[in-house]
Amino acid sequence: MIKTTWILLTQLFTLLAGGGWSSQAAARTERESLHRVRATFLEAGFEPAALEGMRITDQIHSPRNGITHYYVQQVYQGRDIEQARATLSFDANDELVNFRHRFRGKLPEARAQRRTACTAEAALAQAAKALGLQPPADLKLLQQDPGPRAASVLAGSKTSGTPVPAELVYMSDESGELQLAWKLTVQAPDGAQVWDVLVDAFDESVRHVHDHVRHAAYRVYPLPLVSPDEGPSALVVDPADPVFSP
């Protein structure tokens, strides 16, 4: 219960805060860091258009060895692209020591949206159906950002044990094309499970479900690393031993 609630609160904070920057005092540092990250991508051959709007979601600095790690999200038309993330690490001399990414090398030209996306409420109803949960009752839209992400918070009895964060993102379809989708994080009413659900923003079909509990993912310092001073963190999926930790 504690684990699943922590996952949901983390998702909600990230959605509303828009990243890992917590104060205006960090704005100058953020700009400098973003410039450094952008320059690295350009040197790697990326087109400037593919880097438009990208944002640093987290930054970790190790005073012991001077290494700074950046975690970066690719953005298209003001919305995150699912799975398009990068990790970059620089040493005290500003030399690049680690660069891993799943960015798309080229993004389509910006285009006007000719169809009207479904509402976050409609997406939640479809997510509940796909997860085998009761339809949302007394559904209320607690908050919705007017920007392109339409970052929202929904509340309704029966479907989720806590308010549901939702936002518009882009996902890749079977042909690799970017499609608009709602991303919702839903907690089971009993708190035992937490899912990320992608719902097509136009036909309302559920395109992907990720179970945080069944397929647990943790950002850790993988062995043999024991601290941030020794190297970058990594996202480890299902690290539990199936025999000793079923």
Side-chain angles (χ1 to χ4, degrees), residues 54-131:
M54 72 176 182
R55 60 190 181 88
I56 297 174
T57 59
D58 201 3
Q59 174 179 333
I60 300 175
H61 176 71
S62 172
R64 180 179 177 184
N65 59 19
I67 292 180
T68 303
H69 310 288
Y70 299 97
Y71 303 95
V72 188
Q73 171 68 58
Q74 191 174 27
V75 175
Y76 176 60
Q77 293 187 311
R79 303 179 181 111
D80 292 353
I81 302 175
E82 277 295 290
Q83 304 302 321
R85 303 181 182 93
T87 302
L88 300 88
S89 303
F90 296 87
D91 65 16
N93 297 317
D94 210 25
E95 294 292 330
L96 183 67
V97 295
N98 176 58
F99 181 26
R100 293 175 292 174
H101 73 85
R102 296 186 64 182
F103 269 37
R104 297 170 70 101
K106 187 176 182 180
L107 296 177
E109 293 184 4
R111 59 184 184 274
Q113 186 174 298
R114 298 182 179 180
R115 294 183 291 172
T116 301
C118 71
T119 64
E121 295 93 324
L124 178 56
Q126 293 302 316
K129 183 178 180 180
L131 296 172

Side-chain angles (χ1 to χ4, degrees), residues 114-227:
R114 298 182 179 180
R115 294 183 291 172
T116 301
C118 71
T119 64
E121 295 93 324
L124 178 56
Q126 293 302 316
K129 183 178 180 180
L131 296 172
L133 302 174
Q134 294 189 47
D138 305 321
L139 187 60
K140 296 180 181 180
L141 183 63
L142 300 181
Q143 181 175 339
Q144 186 166 70
D145 185 86
R149 294 167 61 220
S152 309
V153 180
L154 303 164
S157 58
K158 296 185 179 181
T159 295
S160 180
T162 58
V164 177
E167 66 174 319
L168 286 170
V169 300
Y170 282 103
M171 63 178 183
S172 295
D173 63 14
E174 293 78 3
S175 64
E177 296 294 320
L178 292 178
Q179 300 293 334
L180 193 63
W182 280 103
K183 180 179 180 180
L184 307 100
T185 302
V186 182
Q187 182 180 25
D190 62 3
Q193 290 177 282
V194 177
W195 301 274
D196 280 340
V197 186
L198 290 177
V199 179
D200 190 296
F202 299 115
D203 67 17
E204 300 183 22
S205 62
V206 173
R207 304 301 297 275
H208 179 74
V209 176
H210 175 76
D211 188 328
H212 279 273
V213 177
R214 183 177 179 182
H215 302 290
Y218 307 88
R219 183 164 291 281
V220 300
Y221 295 94
L223 294 173
L225 306 182
V226 295
S227 77

